[in-house]
Amino acid sequence: MELRLEEISKIIRSQIKHYESTVEHDETGSVVLVGDGIARVSGLDKCAVNELVEFPNGEYGMALNLEEDTVAVVLLGSDVGIREGDTVRRTGRVVSVPVGEAMIGRVVDALGRPIDGKGDIASERYAPIESPAPGIIQRQPVKEPLQTGIKAIDSMIPIGRGQRELIIGDRQTGKTVLAADTIINQKGQDVICIYVAIGQKRSTVAQLVNTLESAGAMDYTIVVSATASEQAPLQYIAPYTGCTIGEYFMHQGKHVLVVYDDLSKHAVAYRAISLLIRRPPGREAYPGDVFYLHSRLLERAARLSDSLGGGSLTALPIIETQAGDVAAYIPTNVISITDGQIYLETELFHAGVMPAVNPGISVSRVGGNAQIKAMKQVSGTLKLLYSQYRELKGFAQFGGDLDKDTKERLAQGERIVEVLKQNRNTPLEVAQQVCILYAVVNGFLSQIPVEQIRDFEDGLHEALANEGAGILDAIRSTKKLDESTEAQLKDFLTDAVASYLDRH
């Protein structure tokens, strides 16, 4: 093939004519020191807090400490292959995670990457893990109940949509079970649930996912997992990731429930990072901003005003105590941030009272606003009766003659305790709760032996479903016990008790 000079010169002229000069500007720095998942980088003068920076081996890090000469970067992956003198590049964006409908039903890591083996998540929208909490004008009061399906909580320590309710207790007292039951109870309630596992064993998280799948709860649930085997930075950002995913749905006008399990391990992970990047420790070796660590997370829970769609984000943080010490540093921090706490007591748990809720120091600062009127009517005296029973039980242990009134109070208290017991993964609809609680508060169960209460209750719920559907529908529709519904319920309970006693 013969090349002609005219054609070559024509091509060169065309190339020169259309030549565009572009300059790519990257701000880079170099690694001064690396180790323990931390890199100190010099030269990143314009780096922002929480900004992503990229290392030569493809790993990313998050800028935390902005010092005079260096930036302390926590690595979001392995530090293997990163050497002193390596070039580090600014990305210009803060740590963000994918959000959207595609996340529902998936198990993701702290950066929103799928770890359930079900393929990539087709989400085009990203949101930064840190964002300001809604202001006062953007909120409305918490007044709509978030039903947990657990009698002891829905009656005595009610939770509302947009509330922050702490679940606190020693290890192995049923905190995670309580949170899982609440998620299972949201089936058909139009609530999207997010479970954030921080510092747990992988097997424990897998077991919980199986429980949710078998109950059909993964259809509306997202699991964010940062297990104990993962680096402290991933455990640190995991709850913010869960909150960001939930906020997307809240701003769409939907209702969201987020469980942080647990913030004790989150504080420990943050302490580990802080000590490595030389943040000065304060009380009990925790850095001084550990309160802000949790407050800026939990303040993002809100019920938005109707003008903003009326969506809500309800937070259920979990805190593990040591030997029941609720006055320790981290527990008191989180108690002061939240709108109440559910305290699970080890002694009650070992005595077979499950859920092991202590009604004395458990409280909801939203109270009756987060209950339907029927539950409010029935449970008004329940907490008082329960607390009186616990006091009287302490005195009765010393023996001595008890008067008739004290014996009656003790007998009723025993039945209240028995009624409030509930097996795991068996949440109960609120209308059914109202019926059995009405029965125990008003003395309908006084003739039934305590050991047979659970058997009677099972029969009562079955009978209500078959023959008392009208009563349940009336409670659901009016949300209160009017005179006619109450009269029907009294007659039904009287007949149910008489029938049960005849058979036994």
Side-chain angles (χ1 to χ4, degrees):
M1 181 181 170
E2 192 179 335
L3 285 173
R4 290 191 300 179
L5 290 173
E6 293 85 1
E7 285 180 9
I8 295 170
S9 61
K10 190 178 178 182
I11 291 166
I12 291 170
R13 281 196 203 99
S14 170
Q15 292 286 340
I16 292 168
K17 188 177 179 181
H18 297 103
Y19 174 73
E20 285 185 15
S21 173
T22 57
V23 178
E24 283 191 14
H25 177 74
D26 267 348
E27 188 178 331
T28 60
S30 58
V31 176
V32 177
L33 191 71
V34 65
D36 295 321
I38 304 291
R40 290 199 171 274
V41 181
S42 68
L44 298 181
D45 297 336
K46 294 179 182 175
C47 190
V49 173
N50 284 356
E51 185 176 340
L52 268 182
V53 296
E54 190 178 358
F55 289 88
N57 66 347
E59 295 288 1
Y60 285 92
M62 179 171 65
L64 272 189
N65 260 26
L66 308 181
E67 294 161 19
E68 196 172 347
D69 301 317
T70 60
V71 173
V73 176
V74 293
L75 294 161
L76 301 174
S78 172
D79 60 5
V80 176
I82 298 174
R83 300 270 184 276
E84 203 175 304
D86 279 355
T87 301
V88 183
R89 188 179 66 84
R90 276 186 65 198
T91 62
R93 65 181 195 274
V94 294
V95 178
S96 303
V97 291
V99 294
E101 303 284 340
M103 303 292 284
I104 297 174
R106 302 301 299 270
V107 183
V108 298
D109 69 3
L111 290 169
R113 300 172 299 199
I115 53 172
D116 52 8
K118 294 180 182 175
D120 293 338
I121 295 173
S123 179
E124 295 175 1
R125 190 186 292 260
Y126 281 74
I129 60 167
E130 300 264 15
S131 67
I136 298 294
I137 305 301
Q138 296 171 294
R139 298 173 183 249
Q140 63 173 301
V142 175
K143 57 183 185 290
E144 189 180 348
L146 184 127
Q147 306 292 356
T148 65
I150 299 164
K151 291 171 283 187
I153 293 170
D154 289 343
S155 59
M156 297 188 293
I157 317 134
I159 300 170
R161 294 184 177 183
Q163 191 175 341
R164 301 154 299 181
E165 185 77 9
L166 171 64
I167 301 171
I168 186 168
D170 286 6
R171 65 185 301 272
Q172 304 240 300
T173 49
K175 300 185 296 297
T176 301
V177 169
L178 195 148
D181 284 356
T182 303
I183 290 172
I184 290 167
N185 195 55
Q186 302 316 306
K187 194 171 188 177
Q189 303 288 323
D190 197 26
V191 176
I192 293 162
C193 300
I194 299 167
Y195 178 84
V196 184
I198 310 158
Q200 296 183 35
K201 291 189 293 187
R202 287 189 179 189
S203 58
T204 307
V205 179
Q207 197 175 347
L208 183 99
V209 171
N210 286 338
T211 302
L212 295 177
E213 272 179 348
S214 59
M218 281 304 289
D219 296 341
Y220 53 86
T221 302
I222 303 158
V223 175
V224 179
S225 173
T227 54
S229 59
E230 294 179 45
Q231 297 101 322
L234 292 174
Q235 293 181 45
Y236 159 61
I237 67 170
Y240 300 103
T241 298
C243 190
T244 298
I245 294 168
E247 274 180 335
Y248 168 81
F249 296 108
M250 175 178 75
H251 291 300
Q252 303 289 316
K254 297 179 180 177
H255 299 288
V256 184
L257 169 68
V258 188
V259 176
Y260 304 111
D261 190 5
D262 65 73
L263 292 188
S264 303
K265 295 187 183 76
H266 181 232
V268 168
Y270 182 64
R271 174 172 61 182
I273 293 170
S274 298
L275 295 175
L276 286 168
I277 62 175
R278 302 258 188 264
R279 282 190 180 169
R283 180 175 158 189
E284 296 180 31
Y286 281 97
D289 62 340
V290 79
F291 179 92
Y292 180 56
L293 174 79
H294 291 147
S295 66
R296 74 177 190 265
L297 170 71
L298 295 171
E299 284 296 327
R300 289 162 72 179
R303 177 70 191 268
L304 293 181
S305 62
D306 290 332
S307 61
L308 292 173
S312 72
L313 191 145
T314 309
L316 292 183
I318 294 176
I319 286 285
E320 186 181 291
T321 53
Q322 305 291 327
D325 184 11
V326 292
Y329 185 35
I330 302 298
T332 49
N333 272 355
V334 184
I335 285 170
S336 64
I337 297 164
T338 49
D339 308 312
Q341 67 274 348
I342 298 164
Y343 178 57
L344 302 180
E345 200 174 75
T346 311
E347 287 75 17
L348 284 173
F349 185 83
H350 292 317
V353 179
M354 285 179 270
V357 177
N358 178 328
I361 62 172
S362 297
V363 65
S364 171
R365 296 187 189 109
V366 174
N369 286 353
Q371 284 178 311
I372 62 167
K373 288 195 174 94
M375 181 61 88
K376 204 171 175 180
Q377 286 170 264
V378 169
S379 66
T381 57
L382 183 68
K383 195 168 185 180
L384 181 65
L385 290 169
Y386 195 161
S387 298
Q388 284 177 341
Y389 162 70
R390 282 171 66 95
E391 290 284 324
L392 286 171
K393 190 182 175 190
F395 286 114
Q397 284 175 343
F398 296 112
D401 293 329
L402 301 173
D403 57 45
K404 186 178 174 226
D405 180 57
T406 304
K407 284 179 180 174
E408 285 175 358
R409 283 172 186 267
L410 285 168
Q412 188 183 31
E414 286 174 355
R415 283 159 178 77
I416 287 172
V417 170
E418 202 61 30
V419 162
L420 292 179
K421 286 181 183 177
Q422 200 165 339
N423 294 332
R424 61 164 60 191
N425 304 337
T426 56
L428 200 62
E429 193 218 339
V430 68
Q432 293 177 307
Q433 291 184 42
V434 168
C435 295
I436 187 64
L437 293 172
Y438 183 90
V440 71
V441 167
N442 291 286
F444 283 94
L445 310 184
S446 57
Q447 296 174 24
I448 298 176
V450 174
E451 61 275 7
Q452 293 178 18
I453 294 284
R454 302 284 288 279
D455 184 42
F456 169 78
E457 186 187 344
D458 292 341
L460 176 66
H461 293 319
E462 196 176 321
L464 280 165
N466 296 330
E467 304 153 35
I471 297 170
L472 294 175
D473 288 340
I475 294 170
R476 290 187 197 112
S477 58
T478 62
K479 307 291 187 194
K480 64 181 278 188
L481 277 175
D482 52 32
E483 286 183 16
S484 64
T485 308
E486 191 171 355
Q488 285 179 320
L489 181 57
K490 279 181 179 176
D491 292 342
F492 193 91
L493 288 170
T494 305
D495 293 344
V497 170
S499 172
Y500 184 84
L501 291 171
D502 285 345
R503 291 200 311 273
H504 296 78

